[in-house]
Amino acid sequence: MTVSVSFVFVFLYLTGPRALSPGEAGLLVGLGGTGLVAGNFTGGWYGDHLGHRRVLLTAATASGALLAAVPLLPTPALYAALPLAQYTAGVQRAANAALVAVIVPEGARRQAFALIRASANGGFTIGPILGAAIATHLSYDYLYAIEGVSSLALAAWTARVVPGGTAPHPTRTPHQRAALWPELRTRPAVLTLLLAIAITDIVYRQQYSTFPLYLADHHMDTGVYGALLAVNGAVLLCLELPAALALRRHAPLRIVGTGLLLVGAGYATLLLGATITTAVAMMTLLTLGELLYKTTATAYMADEAPPHVQGRFQSLYAGASISGVVLAAPLGGTLYEASPATLWPLCTTLALLAGAAVLTTARKQPHTPADRLPPAEARTAGRPHDGEGAVAVPRSPSSSSSQPRPTADPPRPTLPPPPPARPAT
């Protein structure tokens, strides 16, 4: 999940019970979003140096304690507490992705990340409804306290089900600990993907800022927008995990590129006019694009990362994948105010260019499906697996000795000649 449920209601909380002006509340929300992005970009670095499990547990505990303390803090203290809570939430998100990448073997990561996203989307579908009920019938203080305690409970549960030593650190030299750029430089496809994801995320998140404004300007009320978001959630819940299973044998960059093209196609439908039909088509295409590219890109980054920089690879992707949280609203809002007719063509063009760049890169990448399968499926594909995440090479019983392995089957033993036939009588 990109943001907590309490963060969804933070603007109402600040302008309501805390009596801040809209400008002051907007500044505080912006600081929180900046903290979230910064946490995503740095959480993997902590994990690579200190351990992903340790960082995940520390961040979840800190985030829970800060959220639970919000009702007790004076208003000026919120300028430090809320951005810090969002920063620790970002660190937690990056550490969680890195921990999954370390624990789950290559070939099963798409399904694992799809399961996590399905769980998060399910929670975020129900969470705002419960949050609104708590804030309305009790108070916002209860909302923050409950979410803080829930985060602490999640940390305790994670500590129990993911015991220490589950994800051991690879041995690293001091040079390896600092060597992120050399690893990226040898993987141009990863750099292309990161740039494409960052650009597309700014486009994708216009659905949360300028798109509802566009609907209102064309006489479609908040109920229409809420129904469209329900379409998004329903499609993701029903199809994301089955899609990951069905497409697990296909080249990841081609899936990601296709997803980005669908995002562009979604915004292109708005060029046909402002109607309920085009709005539904836009949200459907946008959701299908999200379904294809987000899980697959996360798993691809995990598969491409060397062990000693797994966390930093995940942090780079996590930060790029929520760049729109900070940039989408100010950039899109400014453009929509200055030239409304320009926004959707520009969004369409940027997403299509991002998708085309990834697909062009995909054509240059070799794809060996058997190397990307889980152990059981690798065996059925004719490639035995060693059970540790790598394809095994058949060895003779004496392969561990100093004797060279035979390159051909050994000769069959010579059978003795048959006894002479008895003469006929």
Side-chain angles (χ1 to χ4, degrees):
M1 186 168 59
T2 302
V3 295
S4 65
V5 172
S6 60
F7 192 67
V8 173
F9 295 95
V10 68
F11 195 88
L12 295 175
Y13 172 63
L14 295 175
T15 55
R18 292 291 183 162
L20 295 181
S21 68
E24 292 170 329
L27 174 62
L28 190 45
V29 171
L31 290 174
T34 303
L36 179 67
V37 174
N40 275 273
F41 272 119
T42 56
W45 185 91
Y46 297 138
D48 283 340
H49 290 78
L50 302 174
H52 303 300
R53 176 182 179 274
R54 181 180 297 131
V55 171
L56 173 61
L57 296 179
T58 302
T61 302
S63 177
L66 286 166
L67 289 174
V70 163
L72 306 176
L73 297 175
T75 299
L78 297 181
Y79 283 90
L82 289 179
L84 186 57
Q86 287 302 303
Y87 177 79
T88 54
V91 170
Q92 180 182 348
R93 180 173 181 258
N96 180 69
L99 187 61
V100 171
V102 170
I103 293 176
V104 178
E106 184 177 358
R109 288 172 179 154
R110 291 192 208 177
Q111 300 92 295
F113 284 118
L115 181 60
I116 291 172
R117 276 184 47 81
S119 301
N121 286 323
F124 202 69
T125 300
I126 301 171
I129 300 174
L130 296 178
I134 292 170
T136 302
H137 295 91
L138 297 174
S139 73
Y140 284 101
D141 290 345
Y142 281 96
L143 176 62
Y144 281 93
I146 291 172
E147 180 154 355
V149 171
S150 299
S151 184
L152 293 172
L154 175 63
W157 179 80
T158 303
R160 181 174 181 178
V161 301
V162 185
T166 303
H169 281 311
T171 302
R172 301 182 303 269
T173 65
H175 172 70
Q176 284 179 322
R177 283 195 290 269
L180 175 62
W181 173 244
E183 301 293 354
L184 290 171
R185 189 173 54 193
T186 59
R187 294 167 173 80
V190 169
L191 293 173
T192 301
L193 177 66
L194 289 172
L195 180 60
I197 293 297
I199 292 172
T200 303
D201 195 67
I202 297 172
V203 172
Y204 166 82
R205 293 188 193 278
Q206 295 304 317
Q207 67 173 308
Y208 302 122
S209 54
T210 54
F211 180 57
L213 182 60
Y214 169 81
L215 294 177
D217 288 344
H218 290 84
H219 313 291
M220 286 178 265
D221 61 17
T222 306
V224 173
Y225 179 61
L228 292 173
L229 291 182
V231 170
N232 175 273
V235 172
L236 289 176
L237 284 174
C238 294
L239 297 182
E240 186 156 21
L241 185 55
L245 291 170
L247 298 174
R248 66 189 183 278
R249 294 176 181 267
H250 295 264
L253 290 181
R254 293 176 184 173
I255 298 174
V256 173
T258 302
L260 301 183
L261 292 181
L262 286 175
V263 171
Y267 284 103
T269 61
L270 298 181
L271 305 179
L272 303 177
T275 65
I276 294 291
T277 302
T278 55
V280 171
M282 173 267 189
M283 187 58 73
T284 302
L285 289 170
L286 204 67
T287 303
L288 292 175
E290 174 186 0
L291 180 151
L292 290 179
Y293 88 79
K294 289 201 171 185
T295 294
T296 310
T298 309
Y300 176 78
M301 288 292 293
D303 292 342
E304 289 296 309
H308 63 279
V309 291
Q310 180 66 258
R312 280 166 281 181
F313 266 54
Q314 285 301 313
S315 259
L316 286 173
Y317 177 78
S321 69
I322 62 164
S323 58
V325 170
V326 173
L327 298 175
L331 293 179
T334 301
L335 180 58
Y336 188 78
E337 184 178 7
S339 178
T342 305
L343 179 60
W344 305 135
L346 181 59
C347 287
T348 300
T349 301
L350 289 174
L352 292 179
L353 288 175
V358 173
L359 288 176
T360 300
T361 302
R363 295 190 186 98
K364 304 175 184 178
Q365 293 290 108
H367 176 55
T368 52
D371 292 344
R372 302 293 186 183
L373 297 177
E377 294 188 39
R379 285 192 291 271
T380 62
R383 299 286 301 278
H385 201 280
D386 66 1
E388 297 294 334
V391 177
V393 177
R395 296 172 179 257
S396 66
S398 60
S399 61
S400 59
S401 67
S402 59
Q403 297 296 326
R405 288 184 295 168
T407 58
D409 292 333
R412 296 182 179 180
T414 304
L415 298 176
R422 294 177 59 188
T425 55

